[in-house]
């Protein structure tokens, strides 16, 4: 039987990005050793990533390499995605 694990980042107002679509507040913690609670450790434990359309659009628009390798990614959206990565 499959297990469902969640890892959610959000600010106090419930959004991950600022009104200017910035994640600077989150990236300032990059490199912080969170031990078994680190996102990179979490990603190694899962096979499928589920994300919202806004998160997908943000990640797809970044110049960095796709972070999810061979993992299946499901994007929850009410509108079609015109490109794939």
């Amino acid at each position: 039987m499959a297990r469902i694990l969640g890892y959610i980042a959000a600010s106090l107002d419930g959004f991950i990005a600022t009104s200017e679509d910035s994640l600077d507040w989150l990236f300032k913690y990059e490199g912080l050793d969170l031990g078994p609670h680190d996102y990179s450790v979490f990603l190694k434990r899962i096979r499928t990533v589920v994300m919202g359309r806004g998160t997908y659009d943000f990640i797809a628009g970044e110049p960095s390499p796709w972070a999810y390798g061979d993992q299946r990614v499901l994007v929850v959206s009410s509108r079609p995605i015109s490109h794939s990565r």
Side-chain angles (χ1 to χ4, degrees):
M1 177 179 288
R3 292 185 322 159
I4 297 174
L5 304 172
Y7 196 107
I8 300 170
S11 63
L12 291 176
D13 64 3
F15 294 97
I16 193 169
T18 66
S19 57
E20 296 84 27
D21 291 329
S22 171
L23 293 178
D24 289 345
W25 71 272
L26 184 59
F27 292 143
K28 74 179 182 179
Y29 298 105
E30 200 167 333
L32 181 67
D33 183 9
L34 297 175
H37 305 291
D38 193 83
Y39 189 61
S40 62
V41 173
F42 172 77
L43 282 178
K44 292 175 186 171
R45 297 179 56 204
I46 62 173
R47 293 184 304 217
T48 303
V49 176
V50 179
M51 68 179 70
R53 175 65 185 270
T55 301
Y56 172 81
D57 287 344
F58 182 88
I59 293 170
E62 288 292 300
S64 57
W66 184 243
Y68 301 105
D70 293 331
Q71 290 167 312
R72 180 172 59 166
V73 176
L74 302 176
V75 180
V76 179
S77 179
S78 61
R79 53 197 159 92
I81 296 174
S82 60
H83 62 283
S84 62
R85 267 190 99 152

Coordinates of all heavy atoms in Angstrom, one line a residue:
M1 N 0.8 -1.2 0.0 CA 0.0 0.0 0.0 C 0.9 1.2 0.0 O 1.9 1.3 0.7 CB -0.9 0.0 1.2 CG -1.7 1.2 1.3 SD -2.8 1.3 2.8 CE -4.0 0.1 2.3
A2 N 0.5 2.2 -0.8 CA 1.3 3.4 -0.9 C 1.1 4.3 0.3 O 0.0 4.3 0.9 CB 0.9 4.2 -2.2
R3 N 2.1 5.1 0.7 CA 2.0 6.1 1.7 C 2.0 7.4 1.1 O 2.6 7.7 0.1 CB 3.2 6.0 2.7 CG 3.2 4.7 3.5 CD 4.3 4.7 4.5 NE 5.6 5.3 4.0 CZ 6.5 5.7 4.8 NH1 6.3 5.7 6.1 NH2 7.6 6.3 4.4
I4 N 1.3 8.4 1.7 CA 1.3 9.7 1.3 C 2.1 10.6 2.3 O 1.7 10.6 3.5 CB -0.1 10.3 1.1 CG1 -0.9 9.5 0.0 CG2 -0.1 11.8 0.8 CD1 -2.3 9.8 -0.1
L5 N 3.1 11.2 1.8 CA 4.0 12.1 2.6 C 3.8 13.5 2.1 O 3.8 13.7 0.9 CB 5.4 11.6 2.5 CG 5.7 10.2 2.9 CD1 7.2 9.9 2.6 CD2 5.4 9.9 4.4
G6 N 3.8 14.5 3.0 CA 3.7 15.9 2.6 C 4.9 16.7 3.1 O 5.4 16.4 4.1
Y7 N 5.3 17.6 2.3 CA 6.4 18.6 2.6 C 5.9 19.9 2.0 O 5.9 20.1 0.8 CB 7.7 18.2 2.0 CG 8.9 18.8 2.6 CD1 9.7 18.1 3.5 CD2 9.2 20.2 2.3 CE1 10.9 18.7 4.0 CE2 10.3 20.8 2.9 CZ 11.2 20.1 3.7 OH 12.3 20.7 4.3
I8 N 5.5 20.8 2.9 CA 4.9 22.1 2.4 C 5.7 23.3 3.0 O 6.0 23.3 4.2 CB 3.5 22.2 2.9 CG1 2.7 21.0 2.3 CG2 2.9 23.5 2.5 CD1 1.3 20.9 2.9
A9 N 6.0 24.2 2.1 CA 6.6 25.5 2.5 C 5.6 26.6 2.3 O 5.0 26.7 1.2 CB 7.9 25.8 1.7
A10 N 5.4 27.4 3.3 CA 4.5 28.5 3.1 C 4.8 29.6 4.2 O 5.3 29.3 5.2 CB 3.0 28.1 3.3
S11 N 4.6 30.8 3.8 CA 4.8 31.9 4.8 C 3.5 32.0 5.7 O 2.5 31.3 5.5 CB 5.0 33.2 4.0 OG 3.9 33.6 3.3
L12 N 3.5 32.9 6.6 CA 2.4 33.1 7.5 C 1.1 33.4 6.8 O 0.0 33.1 7.3 CB 2.7 34.1 8.6 CG 3.8 33.7 9.6 CD1 4.1 34.8 10.6 CD2 3.3 32.4 10.4
D13 N 1.2 34.1 5.7 CA 0.0 34.5 4.9 C -0.6 33.3 4.0 O -1.6 33.5 3.4 CB 0.2 35.7 4.1 CG 1.2 35.6 3.0 OD1 1.7 34.5 2.8 OD2 1.5 36.6 2.3
G14 N 0.1 32.2 4.1 CA -0.3 31.0 3.4 C 0.2 30.9 1.9 O -0.2 30.0 1.2
F15 N 1.1 31.8 1.5 CA 1.6 31.7 0.2 C 3.1 31.4 0.3 O 3.8 31.8 1.2 CB 1.4 33.1 -0.6 CG 0.0 33.4 -0.8 CD1 -0.8 34.2 0.0 CD2 -0.7 32.8 -1.9 CE1 -2.1 34.4 -0.2 CE2 -2.0 33.1 -2.1 CZ -2.7 33.9 -1.3
I16 N 3.6 30.8 -0.8 CA 5.1 30.5 -0.8 C 5.8 31.7 -1.4 O 7.0 31.9 -1.0 CB 5.3 29.2 -1.5 CG1 6.8 28.7 -1.3 CG2 5.1 29.3 -3.0 CD1 7.1 27.3 -1.7
A17 N 5.3 32.4 -2.4 CA 5.9 33.5 -3.0 C 5.4 34.8 -2.5 O 4.2 34.9 -2.1 CB 5.8 33.4 -4.5
T18 N 6.2 35.9 -2.6 CA 5.7 37.2 -2.2 C 4.8 37.8 -3.4 O 4.7 37.1 -4.4 CB 6.9 38.2 -2.0 OG1 7.5 38.4 -3.3 CG2 7.9 37.7 -1.0
S19 N 4.3 38.9 -3.2 CA 3.4 39.5 -4.2 C 4.2 39.8 -5.5 O 3.6 40.0 -6.5 CB 2.7 40.7 -3.7 OG 3.6 41.7 -3.2
E20 N 5.5 39.9 -5.3 CA 6.4 40.1 -6.5 C 7.0 38.8 -7.1 O 7.9 38.8 -7.8 CB 7.6 41.0 -6.1 CG 7.2 42.4 -5.7 CD 6.8 42.5 -4.2 OE1 7.3 41.6 -3.4 OE2 6.0 43.4 -3.8
D21 N 6.3 37.7 -6.7 CA 6.8 36.4 -7.1 C 8.2 36.0 -6.7 O 8.9 35.4 -7.5 CB 6.6 36.2 -8.7 CG 5.2 36.1 -9.1 OD1 4.3 35.6 -8.3 OD2 4.8 36.6 -10.2
S22 N 8.6 36.5 -5.6 CA 10.0 36.2 -5.1 C 9.9 35.1 -4.0 O 9.0 35.0 -3.2 CB 10.5 37.5 -4.4 OG 11.7 37.2 -3.8
L23 N 11.0 34.3 -4.0 CA 11.1 33.3 -3.0 C 12.4 33.5 -2.2 O 12.9 32.6 -1.5 CB 11.2 31.9 -3.6 CG 10.0 31.4 -4.3 CD1 10.3 30.0 -4.9 CD2 8.9 31.3 -3.3
D24 N 12.9 34.8 -2.2 CA 14.1 35.1 -1.5 C 14.0 34.7 0.0 O 15.0 34.3 0.6 CB 14.4 36.6 -1.6 CG 14.8 37.0 -3.0 OD1 15.2 36.1 -3.8 OD2 14.8 38.2 -3.3
W25 N 12.9 34.9 0.6 CA 12.8 34.5 2.1 C 13.0 33.0 2.3 O 13.6 32.6 3.3 CB 11.4 34.9 2.6 CG 10.3 34.0 2.1 CD1 9.5 34.2 0.9 CD2 9.8 32.8 2.7 NE1 8.6 33.2 0.8 CE2 8.8 32.3 1.8 CE3 10.1 32.1 3.8 CZ2 8.1 31.1 2.1 CZ3 9.5 30.9 4.1 CH2 8.4 30.4 3.2
L26 N 12.7 32.2 1.3 CA 12.9 30.8 1.4 C 14.3 30.4 1.1 O 14.9 29.5 1.7 CB 11.9 30.0 0.5 CG 11.8 28.5 0.6 CD1 11.5 28.0 2.0 CD2 10.8 28.0 -0.4
F27 N 14.8 31.0 0.0 CA 16.2 30.6 -0.4 C 17.3 31.0 0.6 O 18.4 30.5 0.5 CB 16.5 31.3 -1.8 CG 15.7 30.7 -2.9 CD1 15.2 31.5 -3.9 CD2 15.3 29.3 -2.9 CE1 14.5 30.9 -5.0 CE2 14.6 28.8 -3.9 CZ 14.2 29.6 -5.0
K28 N 17.0 32.0 1.5 CA 18.0 32.3 2.4 C 18.3 31.2 3.4 O 19.3 31.2 4.1 CB 17.6 33.6 3.2 CG 16.6 33.5 4.2 CD 16.3 34.8 4.9 CE 15.3 34.7 6.0 NZ 15.0 36.0 6.6
Y29 N 17.5 30.2 3.4 CA 17.7 29.0 4.3 C 18.4 27.9 3.5 O 18.7 26.8 4.1 CB 16.4 28.5 4.9 CG 15.7 29.5 5.8 CD1 14.6 30.2 5.3 CD2 16.3 29.8 7.0 CE1 14.1 31.2 6.2 CE2 15.7 30.8 7.8 CZ 14.6 31.5 7.4 OH 14.0 32.4 8.2
E30 N 18.7 28.1 2.3 CA 19.3 27.1 1.5 C 20.7 26.8 2.1 O 21.4 27.7 2.4 CB 19.5 27.5 0.0 CG 19.7 26.4 -1.0 CD 19.5 26.9 -2.4 OE1 18.7 27.8 -2.6 OE2 20.1 26.3 -3.3
G31 N 21.1 25.5 2.2 CA 22.3 25.2 2.8 C 22.3 25.0 4.3 O 23.2 24.5 4.9
L32 N 21.2 25.3 4.9 CA 20.9 25.1 6.3 C 20.7 23.6 6.5 O 20.0 22.9 5.8 CB 19.7 25.8 6.8 CG 19.4 25.7 8.3 CD1 20.4 26.4 9.2 CD2 18.0 26.4 8.6
D33 N 21.5 23.0 7.5 CA 21.4 21.6 7.7 C 20.2 21.2 8.6 O 20.1 21.5 9.8 CB 22.7 21.0 8.4 CG 22.6 19.5 8.6 OD1 21.7 18.9 8.1 OD2 23.5 19.0 9.3
L34 N 19.1 20.7 7.9 CA 17.9 20.3 8.6 C 17.9 18.8 8.9 O 16.8 18.3 9.3 CB 16.7 20.7 7.8 CG 16.5 22.2 7.6 CD1 15.4 22.5 6.6 CD2 16.4 23.0 8.9
G35 N 19.0 18.1 8.7 CA 19.1 16.7 9.0 C 18.0 15.9 8.2 O 17.8 16.1 7.0
P36 N 17.3 15.0 8.9 CA 16.3 14.2 8.3 C 15.1 15.0 7.8 O 14.3 14.4 7.1 CB 15.9 13.2 9.4 CG 16.2 13.9 10.7 CD 17.4 14.7 10.4
H37 N 15.0 16.3 8.1 CA 13.9 17.1 7.7 C 14.2 17.9 6.5 O 13.3 18.7 6.1 CB 13.4 18.0 8.9 CG 13.1 17.2 10.1 ND1 12.0 16.3 10.2 CD2 13.8 17.1 11.3 CE1 12.0 15.8 11.4 NE2 13.1 16.2 12.1
D38 N 15.3 17.8 5.9 CA 15.8 18.5 4.8 C 15.0 18.1 3.5 O 14.7 16.9 3.4 CB 17.2 18.4 4.5 CG 17.8 19.4 3.5 OD1 18.1 20.5 4.0 OD2 17.9 19.0 2.3
Y39 N 14.6 19.1 2.7 CA 13.9 18.8 1.4 C 14.6 17.8 0.5 O 13.9 16.9 0.0 CB 13.5 20.1 0.7 CG 12.6 19.9 -0.4 CD1 11.3 19.4 -0.2 CD2 12.9 20.2 -1.8 CE1 10.4 19.2 -1.3 CE2 12.0 20.0 -2.8 CZ 10.8 19.5 -2.5 OH 9.9 19.4 -3.6
S40 N 15.9 17.9 0.4 CA 16.6 16.9 -0.4 C 16.5 15.5 0.1 O 16.5 14.5 -0.7 CB 18.1 17.3 -0.6 OG 18.7 17.3 0.7
V41 N 16.5 15.3 1.4 CA 16.3 14.0 2.0 C 14.9 13.5 1.7 O 14.7 12.3 1.4 CB 16.6 14.1 3.6 CG1 16.2 12.7 4.2 CG2 18.0 14.5 3.8
F42 N 13.9 14.4 1.9 CA 12.5 14.0 1.6 C 12.4 13.6 0.1 O 11.7 12.5 -0.1 CB 11.6 15.2 1.9 CG 10.2 15.1 1.4 CD1 9.3 14.3 2.2 CD2 9.7 15.7 0.3 CE1 8.0 14.1 1.8 CE2 8.4 15.5 -0.1 CZ 7.6 14.7 0.6
L43 N 13.0 14.3 -0.8 CA 12.8 13.9 -2.2 C 13.4 12.5 -2.5 O 12.9 11.8 -3.4 CB 13.6 14.9 -3.1 CG 12.8 16.3 -3.3 CD1 13.7 17.2 -4.2 CD2 11.5 16.0 -4.0
K44 N 14.4 12.1 -1.8 CA 15.0 10.8 -2.0 C 14.0 9.7 -1.6 O 14.2 8.5 -2.0 CB 16.3 10.6 -1.3 CG 17.4 11.5 -1.9 CD 18.6 11.4 -1.1 CE 19.7 12.4 -1.6 NZ 20.8 12.5 -0.7
R45 N 13.0 10.0 -0.8 CA 12.1 9.0 -0.2 C 10.9 8.8 -1.0 O 10.1 7.9 -0.8 CB 11.7 9.4 1.2 CG 12.9 9.4 2.2 CD 12.4 9.9 3.6 NE 11.4 9.0 4.0 CZ 10.5 9.3 4.9 NH1 10.5 10.5 5.5 NH2 9.6 8.4 5.3
I46 N 10.6 9.7 -2.0 CA 9.4 9.6 -2.7 C 9.5 9.3 -4.2 O 10.6 9.5 -4.8 CB 8.6 11.0 -2.5 CG1 9.4 12.1 -3.1 CG2 8.3 11.2 -1.1 CD1 8.6 13.4 -3.2
R47 N 8.5 8.9 -4.9 CA 8.5 8.6 -6.3 C 7.7 9.6 -7.1 O 7.9 9.7 -8.3 CB 8.0 7.2 -6.6 CG 8.8 6.1 -6.0 CD 8.3 4.8 -6.4 NE 6.9 4.6 -5.9 CZ 6.4 3.5 -5.4 NH1 7.1 2.4 -5.4 NH2 5.1 3.5 -5.0
T48 N 6.7 10.2 -6.5 CA 5.8 11.2 -7.2 C 5.8 12.5 -6.5 O 5.6 12.5 -5.2 CB 4.4 10.6 -7.3 OG1 4.5 9.3 -8.0 CG2 3.5 11.5 -8.1
V49 N 5.9 13.6 -7.2 CA 5.7 14.9 -6.7 C 4.4 15.5 -7.2 O 4.2 15.4 -8.4 CB 6.9 15.8 -7.1 CG1 6.8 17.2 -6.6 CG2 8.2 15.2 -6.6
V50 N 3.6 16.1 -6.3 CA 2.4 16.8 -6.7 C 2.6 18.2 -6.3 O 3.0 18.6 -5.2 CB 1.2 16.2 -5.9 CG1 -0.1 16.9 -6.3 CG2 1.0 14.7 -6.1
M51 N 2.3 19.1 -7.3 CA 2.5 20.5 -7.1 C 1.4 21.3 -7.8 O 0.8 20.8 -8.7 CB 3.9 21.0 -7.6 CG 4.1 21.0 -9.1 SD 5.7 21.6 -9.6 CE 6.8 20.3 -9.0
G52 N 1.2 22.5 -7.4 CA 0.2 23.4 -8.0 C 0.8 24.0 -9.2 O 2.0 24.0 -9.5
R53 N -0.1 24.6 -10.0 CA 0.3 25.2 -11.3 C 1.2 26.4 -11.1 O 2.2 26.5 -11.9 CB -1.0 25.6 -12.1 CG -0.7 26.4 -13.3 CD 0.0 25.5 -14.4 NE 0.3 26.2 -15.5 CZ -0.4 26.4 -16.6 NH1 -1.6 25.9 -16.6 NH2 0.0 27.1 -17.6
G54 N 1.0 27.2 -10.1 CA 1.9 28.3 -9.8 C 3.3 27.9 -9.5 O 4.2 28.5 -10.0
T55 N 3.4 26.8 -8.7 CA 4.7 26.3 -8.4 C 5.4 25.8 -9.6 O 6.6 26.0 -9.9 CB 4.6 25.2 -7.3 OG1 4.0 25.8 -6.1 CG2 6.0 24.7 -6.9
Y56 N 4.7 25.0 -10.4 CA 5.2 24.5 -11.7 C 5.7 25.6 -12.6 O 6.8 25.5 -13.1 CB 4.2 23.6 -12.4 CG 4.7 23.2 -13.8 CD1 5.6 22.1 -13.9 CD2 4.4 23.9 -14.9 CE1 6.1 21.7 -15.1 CE2 4.9 23.5 -16.1 CZ 5.7 22.5 -16.2 OH 6.3 22.1 -17.5
D57 N 4.9 26.6 -12.8 CA 5.3 27.7 -13.7 C 6.5 28.4 -13.2 O 7.4 28.7 -14.0 CB 4.1 28.7 -13.8 CG 3.0 28.2 -14.7 OD1 3.2 27.2 -15.4 OD2 1.9 28.8 -14.6
F58 N 6.6 28.6 -11.9 CA 7.8 29.2 -11.3 C 9.1 28.4 -11.6 O 10.1 28.9 -12.0 CB 7.6 29.4 -9.8 CG 8.8 30.1 -9.1 CD1 8.8 31.5 -9.1 CD2 9.8 29.4 -8.6 CE1 9.9 32.2 -8.5 CE2 10.9 30.0 -8.0 CZ 11.0 31.4 -8.0
I59 N 9.0 27.1 -11.3 CA 10.1 26.2 -11.4 C 10.5 26.0 -12.9 O 11.7 26.1 -13.3 CB 9.8 24.8 -10.8 CG1 9.7 24.9 -9.3 CG2 10.9 23.8 -11.2 CD1 9.2 23.7 -8.6
A60 N 9.5 25.9 -13.8 CA 9.8 25.7 -15.2 C 10.4 27.0 -15.8 O 11.1 26.9 -16.8 CB 8.5 25.4 -15.9
G61 N 10.1 28.1 -15.2 CA 10.7 29.4 -15.7 C 12.1 29.7 -15.2 O 12.7 30.6 -15.7
E62 N 12.6 28.9 -14.3 CA 13.9 29.1 -13.7 C 15.0 28.5 -14.7 O 14.7 27.5 -15.3 CB 14.1 28.4 -12.4 CG 13.3 29.1 -11.3 CD 13.9 30.4 -10.9 OE1 15.1 30.5 -10.5 OE2 13.2 31.4 -11.1
P63 N 16.2 29.1 -14.7 CA 17.2 28.6 -15.6 C 17.9 27.4 -15.1 O 18.6 26.7 -15.8 CB 18.2 29.8 -15.7 CG 18.0 30.6 -14.5 CD 16.5 30.4 -14.1
S64 N 17.7 27.0 -13.8 CA 18.4 25.9 -13.2 C 17.8 24.6 -13.7 O 16.7 24.5 -14.2 CB 18.2 25.9 -11.7 OG 16.9 26.0 -11.3
P65 N 18.6 23.5 -13.6 CA 18.1 22.2 -14.1 C 16.9 21.7 -13.4 O 16.6 22.1 -12.2 CB 19.3 21.3 -13.9 CG 20.4 22.1 -13.4 CD 19.9 23.4 -13.0
W66 N 16.1 20.9 -14.0 CA 14.9 20.3 -13.4 C 15.3 19.5 -12.2 O 16.1 18.6 -12.3 CB 14.2 19.5 -14.5 CG 12.9 18.9 -14.0 CD1 12.6 17.5 -13.9 CD2 11.7 19.6 -13.7 NE1 11.3 17.4 -13.5 CE2 10.7 18.6 -13.4 CE3 11.3 20.9 -13.7 CZ2 9.4 18.9 -13.0 CZ3 10.0 21.2 -13.3 CH2 9.1 20.3 -13.0
A67 N 14.7 19.9 -11.1 CA 15.1 19.3 -9.8 C 14.6 17.9 -9.5 O 15.0 17.2 -8.6 CB 14.7 20.2 -8.7
Y68 N 13.6 17.4 -10.3 CA 13.0 16.2 -9.9 C 13.4 14.9 -10.7 O 12.8 13.9 -10.6 CB 11.4 16.4 -10.0 CG 11.0 17.5 -9.1 CD1 10.7 18.8 -9.6 CD2 11.0 17.3 -7.7 CE1 10.4 19.8 -8.7 CE2 10.7 18.3 -6.8 CZ 10.4 19.6 -7.3 OH 10.1 20.6 -6.5
G69 N 14.4 15.1 -11.5 CA 15.0 13.9 -12.2 C 14.0 13.0 -12.9 O 13.2 13.4 -13.7
D70 N 14.0 11.7 -12.5 CA 13.1 10.7 -13.0 C 11.8 10.6 -12.3 O 11.0 9.7 -12.6 CB 13.8 9.4 -13.1 CG 15.0 9.4 -14.1 OD1 14.9 10.1 -15.0 OD2 16.0 8.6 -13.8
Q71 N 11.6 11.4 -11.2 CA 10.4 11.3 -10.5 C 9.2 11.7 -11.3 O 9.3 12.7 -12.1 CB 10.5 12.1 -9.2 CG 11.4 11.5 -8.2 CD 11.7 12.5 -7.1 OE1 12.0 13.6 -7.3 NE2 11.6 12.0 -5.8
R72 N 8.1 11.1 -11.1 CA 6.8 11.5 -11.7 C 6.4 12.8 -11.1 O 6.4 12.9 -9.9 CB 5.8 10.4 -11.6 CG 4.5 10.7 -12.3 CD 3.5 9.6 -12.3 NE 3.3 9.1 -11.0 CZ 2.3 8.3 -10.7 NH1 1.5 7.8 -11.6 NH2 2.1 8.0 -9.4
V73 N 5.9 13.7 -11.9 CA 5.5 15.0 -11.4 C 4.0 15.2 -11.9 O 3.7 15.1 -13.1 CB 6.3 16.2 -11.8 CG1 5.7 17.5 -11.4 CG2 7.8 16.0 -11.3
L74 N 3.1 15.4 -10.9 CA 1.7 15.7 -11.2 C 1.5 17.2 -10.9 O 1.7 17.6 -9.8 CB 0.8 14.8 -10.4 CG 1.0 13.3 -10.6 CD1 0.0 12.6 -9.7 CD2 0.7 12.9 -12.0
V75 N 0.9 17.9 -11.9 CA 0.7 19.3 -11.7 C -0.9 19.5 -11.6 O -1.6 19.1 -12.5 CB 1.2 20.2 -12.9 CG1 0.9 21.7 -12.7 CG2 2.7 20.0 -13.0
V76 N -1.3 20.1 -10.5 CA -2.7 20.3 -10.3 C -3.1 21.7 -10.9 O -2.5 22.7 -10.5 CB -3.1 20.3 -8.8 CG1 -4.6 20.5 -8.6 CG2 -2.7 18.9 -8.2
S77 N -4.0 21.7 -11.9 CA -4.3 22.9 -12.6 C -5.7 22.9 -13.2 O -6.1 21.8 -13.5 CB -3.2 23.1 -13.7 OG -3.5 24.3 -14.4
S78 N -6.2 24.0 -13.4 CA -7.5 24.1 -14.1 C -7.4 24.5 -15.5 O -8.4 24.7 -16.2 CB -8.5 25.1 -13.3 OG -7.9 26.3 -13.3
R79 N -6.1 24.7 -16.0 CA -5.9 25.1 -17.4 C -4.7 24.3 -17.9 O -3.9 23.8 -17.2 CB -5.6 26.6 -17.5 CG -4.5 27.1 -16.6 CD -4.6 28.7 -16.4 NE -3.9 29.0 -15.2 CZ -2.6 29.4 -15.2 NH1 -1.9 29.3 -16.3 NH2 -2.0 29.7 -14.0
P80 N -4.7 24.1 -19.2 CA -3.6 23.3 -19.9 C -2.2 23.9 -19.7 O -2.1 25.1 -19.6 CB -4.0 23.2 -21.3 CG -5.4 23.8 -21.5 CD -5.6 24.6 -20.2
I81 N -1.3 23.0 -19.7 CA 0.1 23.4 -19.7 C 0.6 23.3 -21.1 O 0.6 22.3 -21.7 CB 1.0 22.6 -18.7 CG1 0.5 22.7 -17.3 CG2 2.5 22.9 -18.8 CD1 1.1 21.8 -16.3
S82 N 1.1 24.4 -21.6 CA 1.5 24.5 -23.1 C 2.8 23.9 -23.4 O 3.2 23.6 -24.5 CB 1.4 25.9 -23.6 OG 2.3 26.7 -22.9
H83 N 3.7 23.7 -22.4 CA 5.0 23.1 -22.6 C 5.3 22.1 -21.6 O 4.7 22.0 -20.5 CB 6.1 24.2 -22.6 CG 6.2 24.9 -21.3 ND1 5.2 25.8 -20.9 CD2 7.0 24.8 -20.3 CE1 5.6 26.3 -19.7 NE2 6.6 25.6 -19.3
S84 N 6.3 21.2 -21.9 CA 6.7 20.2 -20.9 C 8.3 20.3 -20.8 O 9.0 20.7 -21.6 CB 6.3 18.8 -21.3 OG 6.9 18.5 -22.5
R85 N 8.7 19.8 -19.6 CA 10.1 19.8 -19.3 C 10.6 18.4 -19.4 O 10.1 17.5 -19.0 CB 10.4 20.4 -18.0 CG 10.7 21.9 -18.1 CD 11.2 22.4 -16.8 NE 12.6 22.5 -16.9 CZ 13.3 23.3 -16.3 NH1 12.8 24.2 -15.5 NH2 14.6 23.4 -16.4

